[in-house]
Amino acid sequence: MSDAGPSADRDIPVLAVRDLVTAFRTPRGEFRAVDGVNLTVARGETVALVGESGSGKSVTSMSIMRLLSAPAARIVSGRILFRGRSGLERDLAQLDARAMRALRGNEIAMIFQEPMTSLNPTGTIGTQIAEALRLHRPITRRAAMAEAVRLLGLVEIADAARRVESYPHQLSGGMRQRVMIAMALACGPSLLLADEPTTALDVTVQAQILRLLRSLQLELGMGVLFITHNMGVVAEIADRVSVMYGGQVIESAPVRALFDAPGHPYTRALMASLPRMDAVPETHRRLPMIRGSVVDPRRPPPGCRFAPRCDMVLPACEAAVPGEWTIGLAHRSRCLRWQELA
Ligand code: ADP
Ligand code: MG
C-alpha cells in the first residue's frame, strides 16, 4: 500500500485506455475487433470488462499487453496510458518490444482461463515461480525459491514448502489457478489483467478464487482489469464495470449503479441471462442467451451494434452509431433511449 491512502489512490489511474482501435488483417480486408474503447483502472480498483463471447474483451487485454502478433493484428490508433511504480505515465501503444518485455510479468501481469497453457508441465511449480521472479529481479535461485514458498502461502496453498515440489498435473484446476496467481503476483504488479480466470472452474472453487483475488488486491493495492462474460461474477468482484459489445464499450458505471439502473438494453439483457449460481460448471451449461447472434465485427451494422437484437430499437438507432451520454455519476451509456430505461 502506498502512504497516500486508499481514497487518494483511487484518483490515480494505473491504466487509461483512450480511443483504442485494434484491427486484424484477413484475406478479405481489415476489420476492427476493438473499435474506440475507453477504459480506466485506478490503483486499488477492480474494473470488470463484461460482454458476450466475441465482444472484443480478450483483444482489448491482449492489446494492453501488446501480445497480438504483427502483421496480422495491429493497434490502429489510440493510447494505452500506464502509470506504474515509477509514477511516470507511458503509452504502451508506443513502447518498443524491449521496454514492453521489461514491464510484462513485472509491473503488468496477466492470468488466463486455462492455467495449463501458461504452466510448463515438465517443471515444478516452485522452479516456475522462481524463474518468473528471476526474469525481473537480481536474486539468487535460493532466495527465489524461498520467495516462491511465501507466494504460495499468500495464495492460500496449504503446506507451501512441500507444494513447491509439485508438478502442474499433480494439482487440481483451482490449485493451478492459485499457482498462476502466485506467479502473476511474483514481481508485485501495479496492474493485473485477469481474462476469465475462473470460467473453467466449478462454482465453489470459482467463489474461492474470486475471494482470494479480492483480498490480495486490497492487500497489495494493485489495479485489476477483470474480464468475464458472467454478470454474477461482476457482482462479486467489481468496483466499476465496462460493458462491451461489438468492439465498443456501450455502458460503464460503478457496480451498484449498473445493477440498480442499467442504462443500456444490452446490459439489461445480460443481466436477464445471468446464470444461476448452482452446482453445474459453467462450461457444461447452455446459458439462456440474448436472442439473435453476436454482431460480426467483420460486417458491423451502420448504427448501434446492438440494434439488430434490441427490443427497443428505433430507426435513429440504425442510422448512425450513437454517441455517449453521461446518465449518472460516473455512469455513461451509448443508448439513444437511456432516459426511458431509467
Ligand atoms: P471475447 O474475448 O470478448 O470473447 P475476442 O476479443 O476474443 O472476444 O474477439 C473479438 C473478435 O475478434 C471476434 O470476432 C474474434 O473472432 C476476433 N478475433 C480474435 N482474435 C483473432 C485473431 N487472432 N485473428 C482474427 N480475428 C480474431
Ligand atoms: Mg475472450
Side-chain angles (χ1 to χ4, degrees):
M1 282 255 95
S2 95
D3 38 45
S7 55
D9 277 1
R10 289 267 157 136
D11 298 333
I12 306 170
V14 57
L15 177 73
V17 175
R18 293 290 170 256
D19 304 314
L20 179 68
V21 177
T22 303
F24 287 107
R25 225 162 266 174
T26 75
R28 274 170 293 147
E30 207 174 56
F31 74 93
R32 295 174 163 196
V34 170
D35 196 5
V37 160
N38 286 290
L39 276 177
T40 306
V41 182
R43 286 188 187 161
E45 180 183 53
T46 296
V47 175
L49 187 59
V50 65
E52 286 164 288
S53 175
S55 307
K57 306 182 299 294
S58 292
V59 175
T60 299
S61 68
M62 297 291 270
S63 301
I64 296 167
M65 284 296 257
R66 295 275 309 276
L67 284 173
L68 295 166
S69 44
R74 70 181 180 108
I75 293 175
V76 176
S77 57
R79 289 179 298 164
I80 303 169
L81 304 173
F82 172 73
R83 195 191 297 265
R85 283 191 284 270
S86 71
L88 288 175
E89 189 175 78
R90 274 173 292 185
D91 185 356
L92 304 185
Q94 303 293 337
L95 279 194
D96 62 48
R98 189 161 153 267
M100 205 54 224
R101 268 199 305 278
L103 285 180
R104 214 185 284 127
N106 183 12
E107 292 202 60
I108 310 176
M110 189 158 183
I111 52 177
F112 301 92
Q113 178 171 332
E114 186 36 74
M116 275 318 259
T117 57
S118 314
L119 291 171
N120 176 356
T122 66
T124 66
I125 60 173
T127 37
Q128 292 181 62
I129 298 170
E131 273 166 23
L133 265 162
R134 278 164 56 81
L135 208 57
H136 299 286
R137 297 275 180 281
I139 58 171
T140 63
R141 207 161 260 129
R142 201 188 161 91
M145 276 307 261
E147 181 60 7
V149 173
R150 187 189 73 84
L151 286 160
L152 289 181
L154 190 69
V155 297
E156 294 165 7
I157 288 184
D159 203 4
R162 194 174 55 86
R163 275 298 184 191
V164 285
E165 309 289 345
S166 300
Y167 289 85
H169 72 266
Q170 297 173 312
L171 305 177
S172 67
M175 290 274 264
R176 285 202 284 259
Q177 202 51 280
R178 284 173 195 269
V179 171
M180 281 309 300
I181 295 167
M183 227 153 142
L185 299 181
C187 294
S190 308
L191 177 65
L192 176 68
L193 306 178
D195 192 348
E196 310 252 12
T198 60
T199 300
L201 304 172
D202 71 59
V203 281
T204 317
V205 180
Q206 168 169 308
Q208 290 166 359
I209 298 285
L210 291 177
R211 265 199 305 276
L212 172 71
L213 275 172
R214 196 68 171 149
S215 75
L216 286 171
Q217 183 212 27
L218 290 172
E219 194 177 327
L220 306 172
M222 62 192 169
V224 177
L225 182 65
F226 193 104
I227 293 176
T228 178
H229 64 276
N230 182 335
M231 276 289 186
V233 170
V234 171
E236 297 268 326
I237 194 124
D239 297 304
R240 285 191 308 113
V241 190
S242 289
V243 184
M244 201 165 174
Y245 186 73
Q248 301 177 329
V249 172
I250 53 92
E251 181 170 9
S252 58
V255 68
R256 272 296 297 275
L258 192 93
F259 279 90
D260 288 352
H264 198 290
Y266 180 62
T267 310
R268 282 217 304 210
L270 272 184
M271 281 173 188
S273 71
L274 201 158
R276 287 200 339 275
M277 281 295 178
D278 54 27
V280 187
E282 229 182 277
T283 42
H284 302 158
R285 208 187 318 161
R286 283 270 136 245
L287 302 177
M289 267 305 159
I290 306 164
R291 74 173 169 86
S293 45
V294 177
V295 61
D296 181 354
R298 290 156 194 83
R299 277 172 280 115
C304 171
R305 306 232 157 137
F306 188 58
R309 303 170 75 189
C310 184
D311 295 331
M312 293 177 67
V313 63
L314 296 175
C317 305
E318 294 175 315
V321 176
E324 202 177 35
W325 288 272
T326 299
I327 68 171
L329 201 64
H331 192 166
R332 283 181 289 279
S333 164
R334 275 180 178 274
C335 179
L336 223 56
R337 302 186 70 182
W338 64 270
Q339 276 162 317
E340 294 157 70
L341 285 163

